[in-house]
Amino acid sequence: MNSIGITKHAAARMSQRSILPNEAELIVLIGTEVDDGYLVREKDYRNAEQGLKQLLQSFRRLVGKRLVVRNGQIVTAYRASKTRERGLLRTGRDRNHIER
C-alpha cells in the first residue's frame, strides 16, 4: 500500500491521540471514505476481521504444499511428505550456511 503523507500538525495530533503512523495506514486500508478522509466503522472492522479469518484458512490449506520453480516458472506442485519436508529444510539450511 502507498504510504500516506503526514503533516507536522497531523503528527502532533496523532501523537496526542495515540494513533501510530502504521495505524493511520490501516485506517486508510479498511476504513470507509468520507468527505475529507476515512472513518473506521464497526462494520468495517467486522469485514476486515472476516477477511483475515478467510486468509488464515487459506494459509492453513497451504501447509505442506510445495512449488518447484525453475527460471522463474512453476514447473510442478505437490504435497510434500514429512520426510521430504525435513530433507528440503535440511538441504536449504546447509546451502544457506555455506553461502554465508
Side-chain angles (χ1 to χ4, degrees):
M1 175 168 84
N2 292 340
S3 187
I4 191 166
I6 300 175
T7 65
K8 288 181 182 181
H9 173 80
R13 294 299 172 265
M14 288 170 59
S15 176
Q16 292 168 349
R17 295 168 181 149
S18 299
I19 300 172
L20 301 172
N22 62 333
E23 292 174 331
E25 297 271 346
L26 290 173
I27 291 169
V28 172
L29 180 66
I30 71 168
T32 296
E33 193 167 356
V34 293
D35 286 342
D36 58 352
Y38 298 88
L39 170 69
V40 178
R41 306 169 299 159
E42 182 67 27
K43 180 179 179 179
D44 298 323
Y45 165 77
R46 285 192 310 266
N47 288 341
E49 182 181 39
Q50 183 61 34
L52 288 171
K53 285 179 181 179
Q54 290 173 348
L55 186 59
L56 287 171
Q57 287 172 350
S58 295
F59 289 164
R60 167 57 64 195
R61 289 188 60 245
L62 298 177
V63 172
K65 294 184 180 171
R66 179 175 188 234
L67 298 177
V68 177
V69 178
R70 298 249 165 69
N71 299 322
Q73 290 188 316
I74 298 171
V75 294
T76 192
Y78 63 91
R79 178 175 292 281
S81 68
K82 292 294 181 188
T83 303
R84 184 71 178 140
E85 274 187 43
R86 284 190 299 271
L88 289 166
L89 292 170
R90 189 176 311 112
T91 59
R93 280 193 298 266
D94 292 346
R95 197 174 305 126
N96 288 337
H97 183 69
I98 292 170
E99 292 174 1
R100 288 183 187 178

